[in-house]
Amino acid sequence: MKRKFLFIFLLCFALYAICFAGNGVKAAEPTYSEENGYILNGSQKCFFANGTNVSIEERADGQSGATIFWEDGTKSVNVPSDINVFGGAHNDSTVYENTKITMNGGTVKNLFGGGLHESHVKTAEVILNAGTVTGSIAGGGANVFANSDYCANSNLPFANSLTRVENAIVTANNGNAALIYGGGEGNSYTSIANVNINGGNFDFVTAGGSNGYTGNANLKVTSGQINLLQSVNRGELVSADMRVAGGTINKLYVGGEEGDTSVTGTIENVSLDITGGAIVTNLYIGTSGGQKIGTAGNNAKADVDIYKGATVNIASQNDFANIKVTNYVFVTINENRFEIEEGKTLADLAELENVKNIEGKEFVKFVVKGTDETFEESTVIDNNIELEAIYKDKEIKPVPTTETDKTPKTGIQDTRRTIPLAIVLVSLIILVTACAFSNKNR
């Protein structure tokens, strides 16, 4: 009986492990010095969180630098202002499930969501709420990292890089930083990069990485001051989706910065939307592979949409001669906002039939909101406008119900819950059956 019970217990445990266990390691004790808060890697002062979530605060003793706190509150350590904080590990093949660095104050040199040299993180997150980063914030890891020990092989193809982050997330809500990159540094690999700028002051923001490979980059700006914003810097970026809905940007490049010979990165596809109250002092087409996008031999595809309400100055109209630039306006009908290409009419609105043909109501006309002024569907629209759809109510006949109609629709079940539950139930049935069988044969 004991052997049978043990066998069934192990079977249940194995099934549970298959269902719930992941391939990544959650966290390990950070690597640092209790005395001064860092270890030297070459001449670089480094703190490796090794997957332990940490926050960075202003020092209580009034000195420059910062204090790093473990998220669970168990430890803290003071660090100097030239510290480099890594969410991941150094020269370690361990795959960490996630890393998170939250900066609320103080001064540091660099923040990396990933690790240094050989390192692997599935989801790396860096959040800047306040404080100053004198160097860069990068969602990915660092592969070359000047003046470090160069223990990673920087000659490998980007796809085989030992410095890896699957999903990088950088969020800046306030504070200051010289550089922000969605991806990594050196010969690094970042599958997906997400950059969200909601406030703060930044000199240089790139949707992709400083170098290396970045698969897809998603960047959104809602507020803040940015001197230069670009999609790609060096290395490879497959695609970028950039949405500027606010903030003030001095120079915005659809591709990479023009005039800087070090900006040699390539991009295949880039989409840029500029909406809301965004102010772009100078919009440039930018480069891919060091060559201006839209010129002969450059295969990068760019799509630029500018919405009424945004202030945008295109620095050189000729640079956009071969690039699709669409100007949109917003049409609000009964509090629902739709986008329509400038110069079109309501008849060009794909959703128009749904607005007019509402069950139980008869459409009468469109009027300008707050007035009785009729707005004809054939009117050319070149400014944002708010309308109201006027309806005449019809008699709504009740739809007969059946017993089957009373059954609520629950949608598609979540198999992630049902499958493990079924396994547990089957295991319990096996256990009960085995116990009964054992008692019968005593």
Side-chain angles (χ1 to χ4, degrees):
M1 175 60 187
K2 289 182 178 179
R3 289 182 179 178
K4 290 181 180 178
F5 180 81
L6 178 61
F7 171 78
I8 295 169
F9 174 80
L10 292 175
L11 175 63
C12 294
F13 181 82
L15 292 172
Y16 176 86
I18 291 171
C19 295
F20 295 102
N23 294 324
V25 175
K26 289 187 176 180
E29 178 65 18
T31 304
Y32 68 105
S33 166
E34 294 278 1
E35 181 181 355
N36 50 32
Y38 63 85
I39 62 169
L40 282 175
N41 189 280
S43 62
Q44 296 280 9
K45 299 174 182 177
C46 300
F47 177 98
F48 298 99
N50 298 331
T52 294
N53 293 347
V54 297
S55 65
I56 301 173
E57 313 282 346
E58 187 175 357
R59 289 179 64 148
D61 58 10
Q63 296 187 37
S64 63
T67 302
I68 298 177
F69 290 86
W70 280 233
E71 187 181 59
D72 60 8
T74 58
K75 290 185 179 180
S76 66
V77 62
N78 290 328
V79 294
S81 59
D82 56 350
I83 189 73
N84 303 288
V85 182
F86 294 84
H90 170 241
N91 198 23
D92 185 355
S93 60
T94 302
V95 180
Y96 288 98
E97 195 70 31
N98 54 68
T99 67
K100 185 176 181 181
I101 301 170
T102 304
M103 185 166 179
N104 300 314
T107 301
V108 300
K109 185 178 179 181
N110 293 300
L111 298 177
F112 292 94
L116 175 61
H117 302 141
E118 183 178 5
S119 57
H120 194 160
V121 176
K122 287 189 175 182
T123 299
E125 185 173 8
V126 180
I127 301 172
L128 176 66
N129 293 322
T132 299
V133 180
T134 57
S136 63
I137 299 174
N143 179 272
V144 176
F145 203 51
N147 302 315
S148 65
D149 61 18
Y150 294 99
C151 65
N153 188 343
S154 59
N155 296 318
L156 289 172
F158 290 152
N160 300 328
S161 172
L162 300 178
T163 308
R164 306 181 74 83
V165 169
E166 305 301 330
N167 182 35
I169 306 168
V170 175
T171 302
N173 297 315
N174 212 326
N176 305 278
L179 308 165
I180 291 181
Y181 298 103
E185 180 267 356
N187 190 45
S188 59
Y189 174 96
T190 306
S191 181
I192 300 173
N194 301 279
V195 179
N196 303 291
I197 308 293
N198 303 315
N201 291 277
F202 313 102
D203 185 52
F204 193 93
V205 176
T206 302
S210 168
N211 207 331
Y213 171 91
T214 305
N216 301 309
N218 304 294
L219 179 142
K220 185 175 182 180
V221 180
T222 61
S223 185
Q225 304 282 328
I226 301 173
N227 180 47
L228 189 151
L229 173 64
Q230 62 181 2
S231 63
V232 64
N233 187 51
R234 291 186 293 274
E236 300 174 12
L237 175 59
V238 176
S239 67
D241 186 357
M242 301 196 297
R243 300 180 182 274
V244 180
T248 301
I249 302 169
N250 183 27
K251 297 179 181 179
L252 196 165
Y253 294 89
V254 180
E257 181 186 0
E258 299 172 20
D260 186 342
T261 57
S262 69
V263 179
T264 56
T266 60
I267 186 168
E268 296 179 17
N269 296 282
V270 56
S271 173
L272 170 64
D273 286 1
I274 307 175
T275 66
I279 299 174
V280 179
T281 306
N282 294 287
L283 175 64
Y284 301 91
I285 188 59
T287 64
S288 175
Q291 183 183 21
K292 190 174 291 188
I293 294 174
T295 57
N298 192 306
N299 297 320
K301 295 179 176 60
D303 182 14
V304 179
D305 296 333
I306 301 174
Y307 292 77
K308 206 78 173 180
T311 302
V312 181
N313 172 54
I314 297 179
S316 174
Q317 293 284 348
N318 290 335
D319 289 346
F320 288 85
N322 299 317
I323 300 300
K324 182 181 178 182
V325 178
T326 307
N327 293 296
Y328 285 97
V329 294
F330 288 117
V331 176
T332 305
I333 305 175
N334 293 357
E335 309 304 327
N336 295 311
R337 192 168 72 166
F338 306 95
E339 61 182 44
I340 188 170
E341 190 174 341
E342 190 175 348
K344 301 290 186 179
T345 69
L346 284 181
D348 296 300
L349 191 62
E351 300 87 353
L352 187 64
E353 290 303 313
N354 296 330
V355 173
K356 294 171 65 176
N357 298 315
I358 296 178
E359 184 179 358
K361 293 187 177 182
E362 180 183 344
F363 174 76
V364 179
K365 62 180 178 179
F366 289 110
V367 299
V368 177
K369 185 177 180 180
T371 73
D372 293 326
E373 178 187 348
T374 301
F375 191 89
E376 301 293 342
E377 293 179 29
S378 58
T379 303
V380 173
I381 302 173
D382 55 11
N383 279 297
N384 297 337
I385 192 168
E386 290 190 67
L387 304 176
E388 290 180 347
I390 306 300
Y391 303 96
K392 181 169 67 176
D393 290 340
K394 285 183 177 180
E395 181 183 355
I396 303 175
K397 296 181 179 180
V399 179
T401 60
T402 64
E403 290 300 319
T404 55
D405 291 333
K406 295 178 182 179
T407 304
K409 296 179 180 180
T410 58
I412 300 173
Q413 294 185 356
D414 188 349
T415 56
R416 292 174 297 178
R417 294 183 178 180
T418 26
I419 291 175
L421 180 59
I423 291 172
V424 172
L425 289 174
V426 170
S427 301
L428 288 174
I429 291 170
I430 293 172
L431 177 61
V432 171
T433 303
C435 291
F437 178 80
S438 175
N439 291 332
K440 183 179 179 180
N441 291 281
R442 280 184 177 179

